[in-house]
Amino acid sequence: MPYKKVLDTMQPYKPGKPIEETKKEYGLTEVIKLASNENPYGYSPKVAEWLRSEAQLLQLYPDANATTLKETLANKNGIAPEQLIIGNGSDELISIISRSMLDETKHVLMATPTFPQYVHNAKVEGATFTEIPLKDGHHDYEEFLQAIQDNTSIIWICNPNNPTGNVLNSAELEAFIEEVPSDILIVLDEAYFEYIMAEDHVDSLEWLPKYENILILRTFSKAYGLASIRVGYGIGHPSMIEQFNKVRNPFNNNTMAHTIAKIAVEDEEFLQKSRKLNAEQRERFYTFAKEQGLNIYPSETNFVLIETKRDANELADELMKRGVIVRSGNLLGTPGYMRVTIGTEQQNDQFFEAFKQLL
Ligand SMILES: *Cc1c(COP(=O)(O)O)cnc(C)c1O
């Protein structure tokens, strides 16, 4: 069959081993998954309540405009509904953006290591790309500016960056945005926005009136604890949103997902609780790293990138035998490190205990 040639060089997404498989393979009764940065505290109890109570009109198509969810998000963020596009997770928005803007004549820019979907979608659309290595763990803006070509269409910025977890300095980032030609789209992927605690962090929503070429991506999959419902959203200039809406499948989210996301936005208490518990538990990882003499990246997310002192795949396998699933840095472009989702107090105890035995 005449598939796109680039597919010969690509692999389907490799999911981590599911909990039930791991239990069976290693004869374990308890396994914790600290590999995908899900929220270990679950989701809003208001969502749970709604799920128990509500009868659904499953025969009807969902609202293709996500009207109620957009109104709720617009009110909460002080923006207009026309500035919003809702995706089947922000993953889908990354592909909608790429599909809208890229082809064989276009070029995109991103850091490395960073979230792999930016490169993945560029490849599918046949675009060329330049990956700019992080410098001391940070985005190297000088190199980004140098790498801009006449046909550069998108610059992808993951902030906080996955897999390193660090947040970009707001003043430096804004100075960079200022330097980028205004006909290049700058996507700010802020999947971990709700976890950021840094006091000098500026909410990028404030930049929207000044820079019409930025698009902010946020998601319900991480701090809201709703990875399974597949809802992410983009915020940008209405004229940009209109273009992306032409490419979006009209019924890309189901009705339940819209309603659940709306209820979640309205439960600020659950979000704040997750944020606080996550920050407390995150401290324990720094303390552990210090005690054990391991490098660790400063994280503003619900995961940490921590040194393994040996081959990361091997360590991840050993941890799995002890009932803890993490992500080896070998797969993420950070060999010698692993990415660990910050769990509950008890889950983290189990991780520290297992890791200690292996050090
Ligand atoms: C998890 C993650 C996403 C994907 O989020 P979904 O909304 O679940 O598709 C996007 N970007 C980054 C950086 C992530 O870590």
Side-chain angles (χ1 to χ4, degrees):
M1 301 275 264
Y3 298 110
K4 285 183 176 177
K5 208 147 183 49
V6 69
L7 299 194
D8 293 346
T9 69
M10 300 175 72
Q11 298 289 331
Y13 179 74
K14 255 207 206 88
K17 204 185 279 278
I19 289 180
E20 285 313 312
E21 285 243 336
T22 309
K23 280 186 188 167
K24 234 190 268 164
E25 187 169 334
Y26 299 106
L28 298 164
T29 48
E30 228 215 295
V31 169
I32 55 172
K33 182 168 165 251
L34 300 177
S36 303
N37 309 337
E38 292 129 332
N39 186 332
Y41 308 105
Y43 46 81
S44 162
K46 302 223 162 61
V47 169
E49 199 178 304
W50 178 83
L51 283 171
R52 281 192 299 269
S53 71
E54 199 73 10
Q56 284 296 308
L57 296 175
L58 297 181
Q59 72 277 26
L60 301 183
Y61 274 106
D63 172 10
N65 186 42
T67 314
T68 314
L69 175 57
K70 279 191 195 169
E71 270 168 16
T72 308
L73 282 170
N75 280 340
K76 165 148 177 164
N77 291 297
I79 53 171
E82 296 72 35
Q83 288 177 274
L84 283 161
I85 180 168
I86 313 292
N88 197 269
S90 36
D91 268 348
E92 191 202 21
L93 294 170
I94 295 168
S95 78
I96 289 174
I97 296 161
S98 301
R99 207 174 163 206
S100 303
M101 301 185 70
L102 303 181
D103 60 27
E104 291 77 4
T105 68
K106 300 289 168 40
H107 171 255
V108 301
L109 275 178
M110 69 284 282
T112 186
T114 192
F115 194 57
Q117 290 304 310
Y118 318 139
V119 163
H120 181 91
N121 280 278
K123 285 183 180 168
V124 172
E125 303 304 334
T128 54
F129 55 88
T130 307
E131 298 175 279
I132 312 289
L134 297 181
K135 191 167 132 196
D136 308 323
H138 290 280
H139 278 59
D140 189 343
Y141 297 122
E142 278 307 310
E143 288 296 319
F144 267 83
L145 292 171
Q146 293 285 326
I148 291 176
Q149 304 174 9
D150 288 344
N151 62 342
T152 302
S153 317
I154 308 174
I155 297 178
W156 298 95
I157 303 277
C158 188
N159 186 30
N161 191 41
N162 183 0
T164 48
N166 55 315
V167 74
L168 302 180
N169 174 280
S170 294
E172 287 171 19
L173 177 56
E174 193 185 357
F176 171 70
I177 292 170
E178 190 108 33
E179 294 278 322
V180 172
S182 61
D183 61 348
I184 297 177
L185 171 65
I186 303 170
V187 180
L188 304 174
D189 182 351
E190 301 184 339
Y192 301 93
F193 167 78
E194 296 83 2
Y195 284 120
I196 298 172
M197 293 288 202
E199 277 170 15
D200 59 356
H201 183 259
V202 175
D203 187 336
S204 55
L205 288 175
E206 287 180 24
W207 298 338
L208 284 172
K210 263 200 275 185
Y211 309 102
E212 292 189 3
N213 60 328
I214 62 176
L215 181 74
I216 300 161
L217 298 184
R218 293 185 183 167
T219 180
F220 286 91
S221 298
K222 305 288 160 61
Y224 285 102
L226 294 166
S228 176
I229 68 163
R230 311 304 305 133
V231 182
Y233 54 105
I235 313 168
H237 193 273
S239 63
M240 181 195 289
I241 298 297
E242 191 185 354
Q243 296 296 330
F244 295 145
N245 268 326
K246 296 177 189 173
V247 175
R248 179 179 63 83
N249 286 323
F251 306 113
N252 60 331
N253 294 117
N254 67 65
T255 307
M256 283 189 280
H258 284 157
T259 309
I260 289 169
K262 174 187 182 290
I263 296 170
V265 175
E266 288 167 341
D267 189 354
E268 189 62 26
E269 194 183 327
F270 174 78
L271 193 67
Q272 292 308 327
K273 186 186 105 181
S274 297
R275 228 170 101 82
K276 181 166 165 284
L277 291 172
N278 181 65
E280 282 168 17
Q281 290 301 311
R282 195 163 56 200
E283 283 306 313
R284 299 183 62 207
F285 281 78
Y286 297 128
T287 307
F288 177 86
K290 202 167 175 191
E291 281 169 8
Q292 305 294 327
L294 302 166
N295 283 332
I296 186 167
Y297 279 71
S299 169
E300 292 283 328
T301 65
N302 68 335
F303 63 85
V304 288
L305 192 64
I306 185 169
E307 194 183 2
T308 51
K309 286 275 189 215
R310 60 201 267 195
D311 180 72
N313 280 354
E314 205 182 279
L315 182 72
D317 282 347
E318 289 297 323
L319 284 170
M320 197 183 288
K321 287 181 197 159
R322 289 163 175 77
V324 184
I325 308 176
V326 301
R327 269 285 200 201
S328 161
N330 293 12
L331 308 167
L332 304 170
T334 52
Y337 284 77
M338 64 182 155
R339 195 190 65 194
V340 186
T341 303
I342 297 163
T344 61
E345 181 175 10
Q346 197 190 349
Q347 290 172 335
N348 298 332
D349 285 342
Q350 193 178 333
F351 166 76
F352 294 137
E353 195 48 50
F355 192 10
K356 242 187 231 164
Q357 286 173 13
L358 294 164
L359 276 166

